[in-house]
Structure formats: structure tokens, C-alpha cells
């Protein structure tokens, strides 16, 4: 009895030290949690702390098939075991230990686990880090979604071009993260308001995840992580600017950083940096993908500095250790080559387009086997539809002379959704398109941007919203667009009077081209 009272006293003291009584616990039903599409039922609802959602540990971990137990020697420490994975958390400590077999790592959580009403609550990130789950937050529904299917995609900023310094952006769910011309700011739009953060330099190749943004800066090329809940940022890599960065990618908890000659993997939790590949030759190209926890690097070969011809090679690398295995090599390739990760996380598909040969490489063993063309194409389809911005009907793009458009994949008909010069697409998701309009900013190296603004609109061109601009309340006069915006940014698109803007009719207005602006 004395031990029990002591334990409760410690929990109460810890709650007071953590300031748990400074915020209200979520009311029952206010925040819901779904595991693989099934709603979980708790006797202690999730709570909010420091702009983070904390969820009951035991119900979720046991729902994931793990066993949960308290440390008999420390009443504040909990262990969860599933297969070869053991996770240890301590109430009041933001350090979580994860051990898989003999591999042990320490992970820093956004907030520490807490005790509330005799239940242990942990930040949702602990769930994803513990057992490789995918966790997302649906703010409109006040809902946490947990999926046991790990993410096998390498996330990259498709529309970012490091050679053009007018900004870039990317969606994380329905939240849009972006930069604007040469400002040293990171902007976040949640559907209603725009927040801005000091980014330490102009953010390039922004990659958002779970309220954090990863990027490198134009000035110093340091790789940062910025937490938009707190505004805090830290350098993860290249603090001395010694590496000239070409691109950033994000795979699970690894930032993949490419330079002219090297590829580094940065563990965003442990901050460990591993050199995973060096180019065979200065003339070679390197393509990167991943699956099953392994990084696959396609090096196209070329001629080395001493005149030696380097072979095309596919290498499988462990991003934690840098241990690599060559899984395919060829002295020359007559045609193109494609490689696609398996969305089930088993390995890599490769196609030699000149021969029609298709291969599959197992991520666990590195062994390969021949597969049919139809199997390879099915893997390509699964990869494409895995992206949240995938649209089976339309491709979206921008034209610096005519504006924003979408083009039908089957018919080729093009619809212009926004009329104005100097447009450049930033990002798309399943419902919205975000873009910059700045005629001068689309000139690489331009130091004068003139009137510039970032807009977001629905994928059909409706509900145009100006997010940020470099003019005052008076607004600009559109350059080559539809006229004066009056500061609202809501330029009205010109619609074909014959086809009514649908672009589907063969008419004298659009001549079957599907262009909504027949005056061009």
C-alpha cells in the first residue's frame, strides 16, 4: 500500500512539474483515434500539450500487437515489445529508447509522455517511431489516423528547382508549406491563416512532415529542421557549408542529401549522418529510391577523371550503417532504364528498356529474379497512385506566358485555370494547386521581382486565395494577366464563350484545343 501511495504521489508531483493542469484535457469524443480505419475506444481520451496530441499508450500499443509492462524497478518507466522490437519510455522524459535485435537507438520525442487520470499518454510520434507506423492528423475532423502500413515512398519536392530562386512549396496533407522569392522565411497555410517563421535563410526544397519542415538554405546550404509548433530550428547537416547541395529527399526518418558527388543519409531523430554513396564518375547521374528500409542508388556510370569507364550500377545501402551491396552492374546500356520501389516494401523493380528485361531485387537479401513486363507495370501503377497528389484524370502545370493549366491525360485537352504571366507551379494535392506569379522571378538569378504573390486555388480553378505578396494594400496591376486585382489576388479567368470553359467541344473559340483563353 505504501508503494502504491508513493507511486501516485510521484505521478501527482510530476503532473504539477509538467504543468498538466495548465491545459484542459480533451473532452470525450473531441479527438478521435483510428487504427487502420477502426476507431479506438479509450477510458481516458487523448489530450493536447504544447500543440501536440497525446494518446493513451496501452490501448494503441496493444492494438498494434505489442505487449506493455511497467519496469518493476522504476514505476515511471514503460516497456513495449513486439517481435524483435523493444521500446522503452519514461514519464516526464522526452527520450525514447528503441532496440531492434542488437541495434539500439535513442529518439527524442516532441513532448514527454505524461500521466493523466492513472493512464499514460504519449505523443503520436512515439507510436510512429516505435513500430514504424504512419501517423497523420486530420485537423478538420479532429482525428488521428494510424496506419500499420509503413511508407515506402521517397518524398521529394517535384516542382522545386534549385537553379531558380523564386521559392518553392509542398503540401503535408491539407497544410501548405512554402517560401517566397528571396525572403528568409518559411510560411505555413492551414486553410484559413498564414503563419511565418524565421528560416535562417531562404528555404530550398521544403519537405514537411508532422508539423516540421526540412530544407536547406540558399545562403549557407545548411540543412535545417524547423518545428512549426514552437518556431525552433536546428541544423541537421552541413553547418559549415562544405557540401554544395543539389537536392533533398525524405524517406521514413531519413533525409537523403545529394551533392555533386555524394549522397548522405541523415537520421532526423538521432542526427546521425552516414555517407551512403559516392558517384563513380563526374559525368554520371545518380537516381535514388528506397524500399524495405534500404536505399537503392542507380549510378549511370561514365568516365572517371583518369579516363576509366565506370559501369552502370545499382547499389543497395543500409542508411543507418552505410553498408552497401552491388545488386546489378552493366558496362553499357543501349536504351533507357527505370527502377521502381515495391509499395509492399519488399524490394526494387528494374526494367532495361532496350531489352525488355524486368528484374526484382529483394531488399532483405539483395537476391534478384526475373519478372514479367506486366508485373513491372503494375508496380509502376502502384507507385504512382501511392502519392496523395496523384490525379488519374489530369496533369497540372504552369506556363510563364499564359498561366496555370490542367491537361486531360486521355484527350490531351488543356484548360487554363488562371490567366497571368510569370506563373510557376509550387505544389498540388488532391484538392488544391499552389503557385507563384512573378514575371521577373522566373528568370534565374533575377534580383528584381516586381509584383509577386503566392496563390492557392481548387484544382478546377475556383476559390482563388492570395497567401502572401510583396505589395501594399493597393495591390498590383496585373502584368499580362486579366487586369487590376485590387489587392485581392482574385483574378477572374477568361472563359471561352463557345465551350463555356469546359474545353470539351470542338468550337470556333478554342478550335478543339481545350484552351479557355481563345484570344491567344
Amino acid at each position: 500500500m505504501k508503494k502504491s501511495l508513493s507511486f501516485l504521489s510521484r505521478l501527482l508531483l510530476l503532473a504539477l512539474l509538467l504543468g498538466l493542469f495548465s491545459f484542459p484535457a480533451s473532452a470525450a469524443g473531441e479527438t478521435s483515434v483510428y487504427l487502420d480505419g477502426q476507431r479506438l475506444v479509450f477510458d481516458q481520451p487523448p489530450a493536447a500539450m504544447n500543440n501536440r496530441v497525446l494518446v493513451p499508450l496501452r490501448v494503441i500499443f496493444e492494438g498494434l500487437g505489442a505487449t506493455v509492462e511497467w519496469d518493476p524497478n522504476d514505476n515511471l518507466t514503460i516497456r513495449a515489445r513486439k517481435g524483435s522490437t523493444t521500446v522503452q519510455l519514461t514519464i516526464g522524459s522526452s527520450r525514447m529508447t528503441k532496440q531492434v535485435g542488437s541495434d539500439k537507438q535513442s529518439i527524442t520525442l516532441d513532448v514527454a509522455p505524461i500521466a493523466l487520470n492513472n493512464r499514460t499518454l504519449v505523443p503520436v510520434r512515439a507510436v510512429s517511431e516505435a513500430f514504424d507506423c504512419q501517423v497523420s492528423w486530420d485537423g478538420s475532423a479532429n482525428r488521428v489516423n494510424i496506419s500499420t502500413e509503413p511508407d515506402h515512398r521517397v518524398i521529394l519536392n517535384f516542382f522545386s528547382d534549385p537553379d531558380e530562386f523564386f521559392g518553392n512549396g509542398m503540401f503535408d496533407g491539407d497544410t501548405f508549406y512554402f517560401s517566397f522569392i528571396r525572403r528568409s522565411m518559411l510560411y505555413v497555410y492551414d486553410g484559413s491563416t498564414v503563419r511565418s517563421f524565421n528560416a535562417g535563410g531562404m528555404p530550398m526544397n521544403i519537405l514537411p512532415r508532422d508539423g516540421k519542415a526540412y530544407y536547406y538554405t540558399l545562403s549557407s546550404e545548411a540543412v535545417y529542421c524547423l518545428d512549426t509548433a514552437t518556431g525552433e530550428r536546428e541544423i541537421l547537416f552541413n553547418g559549415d557549408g562544405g557540401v554544395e547541395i543539389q537536392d533533398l529527399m525524405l524517406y521514413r526518418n531519413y533525409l537523403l542529401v545529394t551533392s555533386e558527388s555524394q549522397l548522405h543519409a541523415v537520421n532526423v531523430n538521432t542526427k546521425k549522418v552516414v555517407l551512403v554513396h559516392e558517384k563513380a564518375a563526374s559525368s554520371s547521374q545518380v537516381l535514388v529510391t528506397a524500399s524495405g528500409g534500404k536505399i537503392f542508388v542507380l549510378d549511370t556510370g561514365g568516365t572517371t577523371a583518369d579516363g576509366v569507364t565506370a559501369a552502370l550500377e545499382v547499389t543497395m545501402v543500409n542508411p543507418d550503417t552505410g553498408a552497401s551491396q552491388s545488386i546489378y552492374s552493366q558496362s553499357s546500356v543501349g536504351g533507357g532504364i527505370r527502377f521502381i520501389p515495391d509499395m509492399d516494401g519488399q524490394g526494387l523493380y528494374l526494367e532495361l528498356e532496350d531489352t525488355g528485361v524486368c528484374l526484382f531485387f529483394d531488399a532483405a537479401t539483395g537476391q534478384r529474379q526475373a519478372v514479367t513486363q506486366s508485373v513491372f507495370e503494375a508496380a509502376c501503377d502502384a507507385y504512382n497512385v501511392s502519392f496523395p497528389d496523384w490525379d488519374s484524370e489530369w496533369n497540372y502545370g504552369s506556363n510563364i506566358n499564359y498561366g496555370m493549366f490542367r491537361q486531360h491525360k486521355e484527350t490531351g485537352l488543356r484548360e487554363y485555370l488562371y490567366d497571368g504571366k510569370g506563373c510557376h507551379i509550387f505544389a498540388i494535392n488532391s484538392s488544391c494547386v499552389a503557385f507563384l506569379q512573378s514575371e521577373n522571378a522566373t528568370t534565374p538569378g533575377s534580383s528584381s521581382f516586381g509584383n509577386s504573390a503566392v496563390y492557392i486555388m481548387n484544382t478546377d480553378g475556383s476559390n482563388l486565395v492570395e497567401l502572401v505578396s510583396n505589395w501594399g494594400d493597393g495591390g498590383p496591376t496585373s502584368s499580362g494577366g486579366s487586369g487590376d486585382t485590387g489587392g485581392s489576388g482574385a483574378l477572374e479567368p477568361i472563359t471561352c464563350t463557345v465551350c463555356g470553359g469546359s474545353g470539351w467541344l470542338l468550337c470556333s473559340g478554342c478550335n478543339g484545343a481545350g484552351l479557355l483563353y481563345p484570344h491567344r
Side-chain angles (χ1 to χ4, degrees):
M1 184 67 174
K2 180 180 293 186
K3 181 177 181 180
S4 176
L5 288 174
S6 174
F7 173 52
L8 292 176
S9 299
R10 292 172 68 191
L11 291 185
L12 179 60
L13 176 60
L14 183 62
L16 290 170
L17 291 174
L18 289 174
L20 295 184
F21 300 115
S22 66
F23 70 94
S26 299
E30 183 177 328
T31 300
S32 58
V33 179
Y34 284 75
L35 175 60
D36 288 334
Q38 300 295 315
R39 184 169 183 171
L40 299 179
V41 178
F42 309 108
D43 55 4
Q44 167 57 51
M49 182 177 183
N50 295 337
N51 294 314
R52 293 290 186 261
V53 176
L54 291 90
V55 294
L57 178 147
R58 183 178 292 274
V59 173
I60 292 178
F61 276 19
E62 290 182 348
L64 293 170
T67 59
V68 179
E69 62 184 24
W70 289 89
D71 187 330
N73 300 315
D74 184 352
N75 287 326
L76 297 179
T77 299
I78 314 102
R79 293 190 181 93
R81 293 185 175 89
K82 180 182 179 182
S84 61
T85 301
T86 300
V87 176
Q88 179 172 299
L89 304 100
T90 300
I91 295 176
S93 172
S94 60
R95 305 295 291 179
M96 181 178 80
T97 301
K98 178 179 179 179
Q99 183 167 349
V100 182
S102 59
D103 183 22
K104 190 174 184 179
Q105 60 179 311
S106 179
I107 298 170
T108 302
L109 302 175
D110 299 324
V111 296
I114 65 172
L116 190 62
N117 297 329
N118 292 324
R119 295 291 182 267
T120 302
L121 277 69
V122 296
V124 291
R125 182 183 169 199
V127 180
S128 62
E129 297 291 355
F131 298 113
D132 296 325
C133 298
Q134 299 304 305
V135 179
S136 62
W137 167 250
D138 184 348
S140 61
N142 211 22
R143 166 174 167 169
V144 176
N145 296 301
I146 302 173
S147 172
T148 55
E149 291 295 326
D151 196 340
H152 303 299
R153 299 170 300 148
V154 171
I155 308 300
L156 65 159
N157 194 326
F158 286 106
F159 299 107
S160 178
D161 185 350
D163 294 327
E164 299 191 14
F165 306 141
F166 43 75
N168 67 105
M170 192 169 183
F171 285 97
D172 185 20
D174 291 327
T175 304
F176 179 49
Y177 297 71
F178 65 100
S179 62
F180 179 51
I181 52 178
R182 291 182 185 267
R183 294 181 181 177
S184 298
M185 304 294 290
L186 178 81
Y187 298 90
V188 181
Y189 176 64
D190 62 6
S192 60
T193 59
V194 176
R195 293 179 293 153
S196 59
F197 302 88
N198 187 334
M202 179 184 170
M204 305 293 291
N205 291 79
I206 298 169
L207 298 171
R209 176 177 287 174
D210 297 335
K212 295 184 178 180
Y214 303 95
Y215 58 89
Y216 70 95
T217 58
L218 173 62
S219 54
S220 68
E221 299 206 26
V223 177
Y224 281 94
C225 170
L226 190 150
D227 189 335
T228 60
T230 63
E232 296 178 355
R233 69 176 189 271
E234 62 176 327
I235 295 177
L236 301 181
F237 176 66
N238 203 34
D240 60 0
V243 176
E244 185 176 346
I245 296 174
Q246 292 185 332
D247 204 357
L248 294 183
M249 294 163 278
L250 188 59
Y251 174 61
R252 297 188 181 178
N253 58 308
Y254 304 99
L255 266 180
L256 306 179
V257 187
T258 63
S259 64
E260 178 64 30
S261 60
Q262 297 177 328
L263 170 66
H264 290 86
V266 182
N267 190 311
V268 299
N269 297 324
T270 64
K271 313 304 185 295
K272 180 180 179 181
V273 178
V274 175
L275 175 64
V276 296
H277 182 75
E278 292 192 81
K279 288 175 62 174
S282 60
S283 60
S284 65
Q285 294 181 339
V286 172
L287 303 176
V288 181
T289 190
S291 181
K294 300 294 178 62
I295 307 298
F296 293 90
V297 183
L298 170 62
D299 194 325
T300 62
T303 303
T304 64
D306 54 4
V308 177
T309 299
L312 175 148
E313 190 164 22
V314 179
T315 306
M316 183 175 72
V317 187
N318 184 323
D320 275 321
T321 64
S324 64
Q325 174 187 351
S326 175
I327 59 177
Y328 182 81
S329 181
Q330 185 170 315
S331 58
S332 64
V333 176
I337 185 169
R338 294 192 293 169
F339 69 161
I340 293 293
D342 172 33
M343 286 297 96
D344 290 330
Q346 301 301 310
L348 177 81
Y349 290 93
L350 182 146
E351 179 199 36
L352 305 176
E353 292 182 299
D354 59 330
T355 64
V357 172
C358 298
L359 303 170
F360 175 74
F361 299 89
D362 190 295
T365 65
Q367 295 180 345
R368 75 182 187 189
Q369 66 183 69
V371 296
T372 64
Q373 182 71 38
S374 61
V375 169
F376 178 84
E377 294 299 337
C380 292
D381 292 341
Y383 177 76
N384 287 334
V385 302
S386 70
F387 286 87
D389 57 4
W390 173 255
D391 190 317
S392 60
E393 188 175 9
W394 299 96
N395 286 320
Y396 291 81
S398 56
N399 183 300
I400 61 172
N401 293 316
Y402 297 151
M404 298 295 303
F405 65 85
R406 64 179 182 178
Q407 187 163 352
H408 198 270
K409 292 182 177 180
E410 289 188 6
T411 67
L413 294 182
R414 179 174 289 191
E415 294 184 0
Y416 272 87
L417 308 174
Y418 178 90
D419 182 32
K421 288 187 177 182
C423 289
H424 188 90
I425 189 169
F426 269 5
I428 62 174
N429 66 4
S430 59
S431 60
C432 295
V433 180
F435 63 98
L436 170 88
Q437 183 179 16
S438 178
E439 188 171 355
N440 291 334
T442 54
T443 302
S446 173
S447 59
S448 174
F449 298 101
N451 292 324
S452 304
V454 175
Y455 300 98
I456 191 170
M457 64 184 175
N458 292 348
T459 52
D460 63 359
S462 62
N463 296 325
L464 182 72
V465 177
E466 176 192 300
L467 301 182
V468 64
S469 67
N470 64 351
W471 55 70
D473 295 335
T477 298
S478 174
S479 175
S482 307
D484 193 346
T485 67
S488 68
L491 297 179
E492 294 295 332
I494 303 171
T495 302
C496 171
T497 59
V498 181
C499 67
S502 68
W504 288 104
L505 302 179
L506 183 61
C507 62
S508 59
C510 65
N511 294 318
L515 299 180
L516 301 190
Y517 305 108
H519 59 287
R520 297 195 179 97

